[in-house]
Amino acid sequence: MICYPNAKINLGLNITERRPDGYHNLETVFYPIPVCDTLRIEPDEGILSSAEQVSSRKRERPSDAPASDYTFQTDGIVMDCPPEKNLVIRALRSLKQDFILPPLHIYIDKQIPSGAGLGGGSSDAAHTLTTLNRVFDLRLQEKGIEDRASGLGADCAFFIRNRPAFASGIGNLLRPIDLSLSGWHLVLVKPDVFVSTKDAYAQIHPHRPDTPITEIIVRPVEEWKNKLTNDFEDGIFRLHPVLAEIKEQLYALGASYAAMSGSGSTLFGLFRRQQDDTRLRSLFRHCFCRQCNL
């Protein structure tokens, strides 16, 4: 079974308060975009054992089931974590706590960069859950899959329904919103910069914005500049000035709106017209750079 886990961008991001548990509450809008990985999951005949049969009924794993229950292959952008820490395998492990699944061969062609604020790993995990649920008829309802996805990462649940949503809490409380950017052209630029979550939050002073994101987002995109803000930008731009420079370059190219997605390090611009690919490659020649129609 092949699927195509897509990325997302954050439209605005406000850190509203620090929670007693040390996490932060936030408000943002998640918007799906057509930049995708390729994920293929199929039974691995090479390690298939008669001790482990497909079942949609909850039961315990047989004690003699094989320890090597998957093979994992990747292409494209290099992922620098061991398979057991990859969100795809964590999603598989989550299901195998409750369901018997056969040994699997998992293949990912990685085209969404990691640590980019685009949710690529979360999307891979969410699509793993939905794909296995469908292929093996596990009969999990959409809400049940969302709850399971939330346990893997704050934004994983978004990719189950994969529709524009206002997110609050730690990013796990989702409310569908009526928003379409159809007709707009999106440019993504990610330099070779790593932004740690710890550094990102160290620069934050939680506060509630004067105008809520939900009020700004219904205005024309041309009115978003200086109104729809990402609270991470000021602090991260001080640490990594190249990110601020890229944002200004996007505006110089004619973007109606430009911002950093999540805690970075991808910048995106929304344009009325498609941009010249040769010019983009020249301007951002040392960066991951993609253009797509929304």
Side-chain angles (χ1 to χ4, degrees), residues 65-86:
S68 299
D69 54 0
Y70 69 87
T71 56
F72 190 70
Q73 179 186 354
T74 65
D75 281 321
I77 298 172
V78 175
M79 293 183 283
D80 59 358
C81 70
E84 281 294 325
K85 292 188 177 181
N86 188 284

Side-chain angles (χ1 to χ4, degrees), residues 1-4 39 41 95 101 126-140 145 160:
M1 179 69 183
I2 296 178
C3 60
Y4 301 93
L39 174 65
I41 304 176
L95 287 175
L101 298 173
H127 281 76
T128 297
L129 294 175
T130 56
T131 296
L132 292 175
N133 183 54
R134 181 171 62 256
V135 170
F136 296 117
D137 192 25
L138 304 183
R139 302 179 187 178
L140 290 171
I145 303 176
I160 303 301

